[in-house]
Amino acid sequence: HEALNNWGNNLGNLAKTKKGVEAEELYKLAFEKFKSAIEIKPDLHEALNNWGNNLGNLAKTKEGVEAEELYKLAFEKYKSAIEYGGSSYNLACLFALNGLKDKALEYLEISLSQKEIDILFVEKDDDWVDYLKDPDFIRLLKKY
């Protein structure tokens, strides 16, 4: 399961260096590796989280319904990862990127309260760029 998870990650990293069909095929291969890892170890939150990351990366290259469907799948993978003890941070970021502020801040607070992530990292993370001047976001960061 660990080798499959790592293999999936490396395929996803390679996909980020490609464009179009070539990138999409690499992402699909990565998804197969994550799926195989989960079949071996269903509670492998790392693989679920990585699968969500790669779904989100592919979604960023798409538009409209196709992007929405990929983001929906990414949400599902992140939620499953959390159920098995994974971090809430990536789910918070995905909500932020999709303009779902209340959910983004809710999961960011969970992540900060459980010390899953450092405030300095959050402030530098591009996923939060649209929130840097938001009073609710600033208030939440000051709380921690």
Side-chain angles (χ1 to χ4, degrees):
H1 63 275
E2 289 178 10
L4 288 163
N5 182 42
N6 291 337
W7 193 353
N9 271 336
N10 286 317
L11 286 166
N13 288 336
L14 183 58
K16 288 191 284 189
T17 70
K18 307 294 180 188
K19 298 222 183 280
V21 174
E22 189 176 10
E24 194 162 334
E25 289 303 316
L26 288 166
Y27 279 120
K28 287 179 182 177
L29 288 172
F31 302 154
E32 290 174 15
K33 302 307 174 206
F34 296 130
K35 181 180 180 201
S36 294
I38 298 302
E39 287 171 353
I40 294 168
K41 189 168 179 8
D43 64 345
L44 187 62
H45 62 82
E46 296 90 350
L48 289 162
N49 188 62
N50 293 330
W51 196 348
N53 288 343
N54 283 280
L55 283 162
N57 290 339
L58 180 57
K60 289 176 186 176
T61 70
K62 304 294 180 183
E63 294 179 359
V65 173
E66 192 174 10
E68 288 176 25
E69 288 300 316
L70 289 165
Y71 279 126
K72 182 178 176 183
L73 290 171
F75 281 119
E76 291 171 9
K77 299 305 177 204
Y78 287 145
K79 286 179 181 176
S80 293
I82 291 168
E83 289 175 19
Y84 291 114
S87 170
S88 300
Y89 185 69
N90 285 332
L91 184 57
C93 291
L94 194 57
F95 280 125
L97 288 171
N98 282 272
L100 301 167
K101 176 183 160 183
D102 291 342
K103 285 288 190 186
L105 295 180
E106 174 187 341
Y107 280 91
L108 178 58
E109 181 157 23
I110 291 168
S111 186
L112 290 169
S113 72
Q114 295 179 357
K115 297 183 182 350
E116 297 171 346
I117 197 77
D118 182 76
I119 292 171
L120 295 176
F121 183 86
V122 176
E123 291 175 330
K124 293 179 183 179
D125 189 336
D126 289 341
D127 294 347
W128 298 100
V129 70
D130 292 339
Y131 295 82
L132 293 176
K133 295 181 181 178
D134 182 281
D136 297 325
F137 177 77
I138 293 168
R139 195 174 310 113
L140 177 61
L141 293 186
K142 283 183 180 179
K143 181 177 177 182
Y144 293 96

